[in-house]
């Protein structure tokens, strides 16, 4: 009996050390991940997905959120460099304001992956994992065109107002360009009428930090100044946090009845609140960017970089200093007809998480 126990113990000790050896080999590397803010749903989703995906591959992860302050994020990155992380994954706030801290990453030879948002004005941005950002704006513009039948010769005129994202976020300019490349011709021909005449990004239409409240305030002002006697037909919103503020404003101005129907309204991210807005007919569409795909891409990049292998890319972005080798993940159109298969059947959300979902 005693002999048996000793043998068993020995086997156990051996097994434990084999497993410990495995995880030590895998978890030897640490990835520093910095995200912009917890205040918008998508970054919570992103942070959790990236952390889980990296940990599942045996990496240690230091995940930080910066309350939308670039100086706070720079300090977090500095700390990660001091800790000696092996790779930095950064979703920036003001993509042009990381140059200084990235000089330190360069000296320490730590590879940098820009996450979702391009890091600009530096030669220390080694790779960029993102979605097709120009494609997002283009999809929104094309949706407006087909929803109004402009491609079938419908002449309107339809009233429209345009919103833009945070000026420090490189994506915001790409979303705007993608949409305006489709819509500008209809503004020029008078089929789409922007009564405020505010179409310039960022000067006239940007919303700082992508805040819903900022979008709500601007929409309130537009409705009071230009739409007191006439309903607005279309609102171009680049994302869902802005679309939340826009819907709040429209509701308080009495939209949502047969004499005052909600305008055509775009979005992006498929935030849970916005899927609820789509279900209730307050928002027309959103764009699903499956952040699990982006997390997977970060893993592929991290593994390849650390193994000294070629990093798979399918795009490149000019960051003002260099062409950054990049990977664009696929974007997907979402509306009232397909949200369930896109978001629930794919197990991205549970049905119970979405307001008013059945
Ligand atoms: C992201 C969008 C997001 C926005 C606000 C952008 O950089 O690409 O998905 O809606 O930031 O968080």
């Amino acid at each position: 009996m005693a002999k048996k126990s000793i043998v068993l113990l020995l086997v156990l000790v051996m097994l434990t050390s084999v497993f410990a050896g495995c995880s030590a080999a895998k978890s030897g590397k640490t990835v520093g991940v910095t995200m912009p803010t917890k205040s918008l749903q998508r970054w919570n989703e992103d942070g959790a997905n990236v952390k889980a995906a990296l940990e599942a591959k045996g990496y240690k992860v230091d995940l930080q959120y910066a309350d939308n302050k670039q100086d706070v994020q720079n300090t977090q990155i500095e700390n990660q460099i001091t800790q000696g992380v092996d790779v930095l994954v950064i979703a920036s706030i003001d993509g042009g304001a990381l140059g200084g801290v990235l000089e330190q990453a360069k000296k320490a030879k730590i590879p940098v992956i820009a996450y979702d948002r391009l890091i600009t004005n530096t030669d220390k941005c080694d790779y960029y994992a993102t979605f097709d950002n120009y494609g997002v704006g283009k999809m929104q513009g094309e949706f407006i065109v087909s929803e109004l039948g402009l491609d079938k010769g419908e002449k309107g005129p339809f009233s429209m107002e345009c919103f833009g994202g945070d000026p420090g976020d490189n994506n915001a300019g790409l979303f705007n360009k993608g949409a305006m490349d489709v819509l500008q011709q209809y503004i020029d021909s008078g089929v789409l009428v922007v009564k405020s005449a505010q179409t310039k990004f960022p000067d006239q239409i940007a919303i700082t930090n992508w805040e819903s409240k900022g979008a709500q305030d601007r929409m309130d002002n537009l409705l009071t100044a230009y739409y007191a006697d006439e309903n607005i037909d279309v609102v171009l919103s680049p994302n869902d946090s802005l679309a939340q503020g826009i819907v709040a404003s429209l509701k308080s101005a009495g939209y949502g009845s047969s004499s005052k129907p909600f305008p055509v309204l775009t979005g992006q991210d498929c935030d849970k609140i916005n899927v609820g807005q789509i279900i209730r007919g307050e928002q027309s569409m959103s764009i699903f960017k499956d952040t699990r795909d982006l997390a997977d891409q970060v893993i592929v990049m991290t593994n390849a970089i650390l193994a000294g292998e070629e990093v798979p890319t399918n795009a490149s972005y000019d960051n003002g200093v260099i062409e950054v080798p990049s990977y664009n993940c696929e974007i997907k159109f979402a509306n009232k007809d397909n949200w369930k298969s896109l978001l629930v059947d794919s197990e991205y959300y549970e049905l119970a998480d979405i307001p008013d979902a059945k």
Side-chain angles (χ1 to χ4, degrees):
M1 191 65 188
K3 226 177 172 184
K4 251 190 186 169
S5 308
I6 289 170
V7 171
L8 235 155
L9 199 76
L10 273 175
V11 169
L12 258 171
V13 168
M14 272 169 64
L15 276 176
T16 318
S17 60
V18 166
F19 282 124
C22 269
S23 66
K26 274 178 153 186
S27 67
K29 307 279 182 195
T30 303
V31 182
V33 180
T34 37
M35 292 278 151
T37 175
K38 282 195 162 168
S39 68
L40 299 184
Q41 190 209 312
R42 88 152 273 198
W43 303 111
N44 294 293
E45 226 77 64
D46 284 80
N49 286 339
V50 172
K51 188 167 189 290
L54 283 167
E55 285 176 348
K57 292 286 174 202
Y59 292 102
K60 282 193 206 124
V61 178
D62 180 51
L63 170 63
Q64 303 286 337
Y65 284 85
D67 196 21
N68 263 336
K69 297 189 178 81
Q70 191 57 56
D71 54 338
V72 171
Q73 186 173 65
N74 287 350
T75 308
Q76 293 170 338
I77 297 169
E78 231 168 69
N79 289 339
Q80 291 176 336
I81 295 171
T82 315
Q83 277 169 43
V85 298
D86 297 281
V87 176
L88 288 163
V89 175
I90 305 170
S92 59
I93 296 131
D94 181 349
L98 285 86
V101 74
L102 294 186
E103 277 305 303
Q104 297 176 35
K106 196 168 162 182
K107 281 201 198 101
K109 297 200 170 51
I110 302 174
V112 171
I113 302 174
Y115 181 94
D116 194 73
R117 298 172 170 174
L118 186 61
I119 300 171
T120 53
N121 298 328
T122 171
D123 64 356
K124 185 54 185 167
C125 176
D126 300 300
Y127 295 97
Y128 178 33
T130 189
F131 291 89
D132 178 3
N133 294 302
Y134 178 84
V136 166
K138 191 161 169 272
M139 195 179 264
Q140 292 166 339
E142 283 169 350
F143 170 77
I144 291 173
V145 167
S146 88
E147 195 67 4
L148 300 178
L150 308 187
D151 48 348
K152 307 242 159 46
E154 188 62 58
K155 292 278 175 271
F158 300 99
S159 56
M160 175 174 83
E161 294 295 335
C162 310
F163 283 71
D166 185 87
D169 178 352
N170 188 69
N171 287 351
L174 293 171
F175 300 149
N176 183 256
K177 183 158 175 23
M180 290 321 256
D181 280 357
V182 177
L183 297 174
Q184 189 63 49
Q185 55 172 309
Y186 297 103
I187 299 177
D188 293 344
S189 66
V191 174
L192 291 173
V193 180
V194 182
K195 286 177 98 182
S196 70
Q198 295 169 13
T199 55
K200 298 258 169 318
F201 177 83
D203 301 359
Q204 298 178 311
I205 62 169
I207 301 295
T208 308
N209 281 340
W210 296 94
E211 273 175 9
S212 307
K213 182 70 173 68
Q216 183 172 354
D217 291 347
R218 178 163 183 262
M219 192 69 207
D220 283 349
N221 293 338
L222 291 169
L223 291 176
T224 311
Y226 304 99
Y227 299 91
D229 311 317
E230 193 194 319
N231 294 348
I232 183 163
D233 299 318
V234 185
V235 184
L236 170 69
S237 167
N239 89 329
D240 279 356
S241 61
L242 268 52
Q244 286 174 27
I246 292 164
V247 165
S249 170
L250 289 164
K251 278 181 170 171
S252 66
Y255 280 82
S257 66
S258 53
S259 62
K260 234 179 173 190
F262 280 105
V264 172
L265 172 62
T266 57
Q268 150 183 219
D269 294 329
C270 288
D271 283 354
K272 292 169 193 161
I273 291 179
N274 297 73
V275 181
Q277 292 189 163
I278 290 175
I279 292 170
R280 295 192 300 275
E282 301 161 358
Q283 178 174 336
S284 319
M285 58 84 78
S286 188
I287 292 171
F288 180 42
K289 305 201 296 191
D290 193 329
T291 57
R292 294 170 300 191
D293 293 348
L294 195 53
D296 287 350
Q297 205 47 49
V298 168
I299 307 293
V300 169
M301 284 184 167
T302 304
N303 285 343
I305 293 169
L306 292 177
E309 289 163 5
E310 198 182 319
V311 177
T313 57
N314 65 5
S316 95
Y317 283 74
D318 179 353
N319 83 341
V321 180
I322 52 164
E323 283 287 329
V324 183
S326 308
Y327 195 95
N328 276 345
C329 297
E330 199 194 335
I331 56 170
K332 290 174 188 143
F333 175 84
N335 70 357
K336 60 176 176 3
D337 301 323
N338 72 346
W339 64 267
K340 208 183 248 179
S341 64
L342 218 49
L343 301 166
V344 180
D345 296 354
S346 76
E347 293 178 358
Y348 194 74
Y349 292 146
E350 288 189 17
L351 193 67
D353 294 342
I354 301 171
D356 291 320
K358 278 186 213 86

